[in-house]
Amino acid sequence: MTEPKPPLTDVKTLVARVAETNDFADLIAHVPYAKFIGMQVNRFGDELVFQLPANDDNIGNPVLPALHGGVIAGFMEMSAIIQLMVFMQTSKVPKVVDFSIDYLRAGYHKDSYAECHITRQGRRVANVHIECWQTSRKQLIATARAHFLIE
């Protein structure tokens, strides 16, 4: 039987627990949209790779079938937020200042992945570059750039 987890008191406590245990389930559970689309996080050393498993509810074009563009954008935005929370040990959820996405090809009904790179961080604003792919990292389905306000 597993030991019960202490109750969540604040975001900083949750983020510290995630960084210590590499168990992102609690963090995903506290981000409603990430939980709704079925997002998962895998850690490989200092790198986080975000996964969006194939899910019929995320389809926007049933003819292809292809993921809804808003689901792709939301997945990428949530990935950047979680990346910032974990690596910057934020005490609050970062707020989006702007988000710009380029759709490069259709995201088909299969697992999708994203990786984020924090390209600039100041005292209050962070710039994150996000790449999303399915079968091969060399064939991106979308790229995005986002600025976040960090407190």
Side-chain angles (χ1 to χ4, degrees):
M1 196 163 146
T2 61
E3 189 176 303
K5 295 177 184 173
L8 174 67
T9 55
D10 61 15
V11 171
K12 192 161 187 95
T13 303
L14 175 62
V15 171
R17 189 181 326 152
V18 166
E20 180 183 310
T21 64
N22 283 330
D23 180 5
F24 292 86
D26 283 345
L27 185 56
I28 296 292
H30 283 85
V31 182
Y33 188 71
K35 183 179 177 182
F36 177 74
I37 62 174
M39 191 170 155
Q40 299 172 2
V41 184
N42 299 299
R43 188 171 195 155
F44 302 99
D46 288 339
E47 300 295 324
L48 297 181
V49 176
F50 301 89
Q51 181 178 1
L52 180 65
N55 180 344
D56 291 345
D57 292 336
N58 293 338
I59 293 176
N61 182 344
V63 175
L64 290 178
L67 295 173
H68 190 284
V71 171
I72 294 170
F75 168 58
M76 294 173 78
E77 183 181 316
M78 292 297 110
S79 299
I81 287 171
I82 292 171
Q83 179 94 14
L84 286 170
M85 290 175 74
V86 171
F87 286 106
M88 297 187 74
Q89 295 289 303
T90 61
S91 58
K92 294 185 179 178
V93 176
K95 295 180 178 152
V96 178
V97 175
D98 73 349
F99 185 86
S100 175
I101 186 166
D102 293 318
Y103 296 100
L104 306 174
R105 58 180 43 91
Y108 294 107
H109 188 280
K110 53 174 109 172
D111 290 359
S112 302
Y113 303 92
E115 190 170 45
C116 305
H117 303 282
I118 301 171
T119 54
R120 179 178 173 267
Q121 62 187 38
R123 288 181 28 205
R124 300 206 59 218
V125 177
N127 181 332
V128 182
H129 176 76
I130 311 112
E131 294 181 338
C132 185
W133 70 93
Q134 289 185 315
T135 307
S136 168
R137 284 182 191 237
K138 293 179 182 178
Q139 293 183 326
L140 299 175
I141 62 170
T143 61
R145 179 188 56 81
H147 290 94
F148 294 91
L149 182 62
I150 309 165
E151 296 182 31

